[in-house]
Amino acid sequence: MYDVVVIGGGPSGAIAAEDLARAGRKVALLDKAGRIKPCGGAIPPRLIADFEIPDDLIVARISTARMVSPTGRSVDIPIENGFVGMVDRKDFDEYLRDRAVAAGAERLTGTFIRILRGDTTAVVWRDRETGEERHAVTRLVIGADGARSAVARAEVPGGREIPYVIAYHEIIAAPTPNSGHDAPQDRPAPTGYDPTRCDVIYDGQISPDFYGWVFPHGRTASVGMGTGVSGVDLKAATASLRATAGLSDCETIRREGAPIPLRPLDRWDNGRDVVLAGDAAGVVAPSSGEGIYYAMIGGRVAATAAQAALTSGRAKDLQLARKLFMREHKTVFRVLRTMQDAYYKSDERRERFVSLCHDVDVQRLTFEAYMNKKLVRARPMAHLRIGAKNVAHLLRLVPETYA
């Protein structure tokens, strides 16, 4: 008998399992193993601090973000007072799973099938090694099994309707300084590769409704894109992005694709014995598509809710997961959703969005919010100026320039 079975061993599930194990609960972590989620791999300083991530997992330190418009114009945004860390999900996720096991969680390797209820509740899963069906009897279940969560679809109202985009990327061998891929040092180009810079490409030819990216990972790099538009050839779009960036000749190490949810579910629990976490609950930031930090926070609040329900015996305490998450992050998600809805509709809008990113107020407040994971309230006049500039750009009252 387990207190909790966590289904899904990504960052969300691993953190939930670790937190519950450290609290003295008997926990199983069920994971398929071998799957690597497509992800740019960016993590902010707050994640590194809050979750005690060791330096050796950070494969690159990013000091600049470059926004590239549909016409190829670019804006470089310096990351002040710190850096954005980059991780390779192949190693990062496994480290978190190992840490959960070290804390006392039991790792089960296999595939979730269903939840069976009778006198007890049991998670039915297929053992990867033997192919046999097994039962894990438990008091509670945390579903952390991704955007098209089988747990959410079967157990939680609204779990079948969550909207998502499909993300695809290719991990490539990063170009070396003398490989001919780098931009001239005295004339930076929008397509030049820089191991300390993340490039975000807003171009309808790459993605009609989201963006493409080139993210350094030290010896490797992640090049990819996302879209919710059916019929888009993700591999062809990524090949075009690699060609534009001068990265076509770099060795391709692996290719990965997966759905990314677009908004949090209205409900994260079934009112009985299941609560969702991470992508299964829809907690990926709109506009940016950032998911690692929010997944780990989602795992933490799911563990907190499970601990409360186990202690009190009240199933309604599972509602704490969504309440705690939204109390901290609802405003940021709402602002980012408004931004995505306003600027991602067309290349003309994306052109204006990149123009807006040239503004110093926008740059500073955006990255302060990203680094610290909260809206900055200490500069009210800057907020007012940004609001006015935003309206001016949307109403086409300013030219598409970077002056």
Side-chain angles (χ1 to χ4, degrees):
M1 166 70 79
Y2 296 101
D3 292 313
V4 182
V5 172
V6 180
I7 300 171
S12 185
I15 288 297
E18 179 186 358
D19 282 3
L20 286 163
R22 291 191 186 282
R25 297 296 181 178
K26 186 172 174 57
V27 184
L29 177 62
L30 174 62
D31 184 62
K32 293 179 181 179
R35 177 185 176 277
I36 308 169
K37 182 181 176 182
C39 177
I43 59 173
R46 183 171 173 185
L47 182 155
I48 296 170
D50 287 358
F51 294 97
E52 300 178 342
I53 303 304
D55 285 346
D56 60 1
L57 283 176
I58 300 172
V59 294
R61 287 167 167 76
I62 302 303
S63 58
T64 305
R66 172 169 287 184
M67 309 296 181
V68 183
S69 80
T71 60
R73 296 184 297 174
S74 65
V75 176
D76 284 3
I77 304 176
I79 300 170
E80 300 176 348
N81 304 317
F83 64 89
V84 174
M86 305 302 294
V87 297
D88 189 319
R89 291 291 297 271
K90 174 176 65 69
D91 302 316
F92 184 74
D93 290 16
E94 186 64 16
Y95 164 80
L96 294 177
R97 289 189 286 265
D98 287 345
R99 200 166 75 173
V101 171
E106 180 180 346
R107 186 168 176 179
L108 309 177
T109 304
T111 305
F112 168 74
I113 300 175
R114 63 186 177 275
I115 295 175
L116 186 65
R117 295 182 178 89
D119 295 335
T120 60
T121 296
V123 171
V124 184
W125 59 286
R126 188 174 307 282
D127 188 288
R128 181 181 179 183
E129 185 174 344
T130 66
E132 297 176 354
E133 282 194 12
R134 299 186 181 277
H135 290 199
V137 179
T138 186
R139 297 171 66 187
L140 295 177
V141 175
I142 292 178
D145 53 334
R148 289 188 287 208
S149 164
V151 177
R153 293 199 304 270
E155 295 288 335
V156 177
R160 293 179 177 273
E161 289 79 39
I162 185 168
Y164 57 85
V165 300
I166 298 296
Y168 171 81
H169 80 158
E170 297 176 357
I171 296 293
I172 64 172
T176 59
N178 297 320
S179 65
H181 295 285
D182 296 293
Q185 295 300 310
D186 59 343
R187 186 171 54 84
T191 56
Y193 182 82
D194 183 335
T196 65
R197 188 189 70 224
C198 283
D199 291 0
V200 182
I201 298 91
Y202 296 99
D203 183 349
Q205 297 300 310
I206 300 298
S207 172
D209 58 331
F210 210 55
Y211 62 80
W213 68 82
V214 178
F215 286 179
H217 283 190
R219 295 182 179 179
T220 64
S222 165
V223 184
M225 50 78 69
T227 182
V229 177
S230 61
V232 174
D233 189 329
L234 282 72
K235 292 184 178 180
T238 301
S240 175
L241 177 57
R242 286 181 62 171
T244 302
L247 301 172
S248 296
D249 295 336
C250 295
E251 177 191 0
T252 301
I253 297 172
R254 65 178 193 265
R255 299 178 174 90
E256 297 149 359
I260 307 294
L262 289 176
R263 64 171 179 82
L265 287 174
D266 294 330
R267 184 169 176 177
W268 293 7
D269 69 283
N270 67 349
R272 182 176 180 179
D273 53 10
V274 173
V275 63
L276 304 177
D279 281 10
V283 292
V284 172
S287 181
S288 68
E290 182 193 359
I292 301 177
Y293 172 77
Y294 294 111
M296 293 170 75
I297 288 295
R300 178 147 288 172
V301 296
T304 300
Q307 177 75 339
L310 289 168
T311 301
S312 69
R314 298 189 300 261
K316 69 177 183 179
D317 285 345
L318 294 176
Q319 297 174 15
L320 278 172
R322 192 179 191 280
K323 290 178 180 178
L324 290 171
F325 185 93
M326 289 301 176
R327 182 185 301 167
E328 181 77 11
H329 303 291
K330 176 176 66 177
T331 302
V332 170
F333 271 52
R334 184 171 63 244
V335 169
L336 292 175
R337 167 53 58 192
T338 300
M339 182 186 301
Q340 181 171 337
D341 290 344
Y343 284 110
Y344 285 21
K345 293 181 177 180
S346 67
D347 273 357
E348 191 272 339
R349 287 285 185 95
R350 283 186 276 266
E351 198 76 39
R352 291 186 174 275
F353 174 65
V354 175
S355 294
L356 183 63
C357 289
H358 188 265
D359 185 270
V360 174
D361 287 328
V362 172
Q363 293 179 11
R364 288 178 176 170
L365 290 180
T366 297
F367 272 94
E368 284 180 20
Y370 171 79
M371 304 283 266
N372 299 304
K373 287 292 164 273
K374 60 179 65 176
L375 293 179
V376 181
R377 304 184 185 278
R379 299 179 183 174
M381 292 308 298
H383 282 287
L384 289 175
R385 290 195 298 270
I386 289 171
K389 294 166 185 174
N390 190 47
V391 170
H393 276 275
L394 288 173
L395 296 179
R396 304 179 184 177
L397 300 178
V398 295
E400 294 173 0
T401 68
Y402 300 99

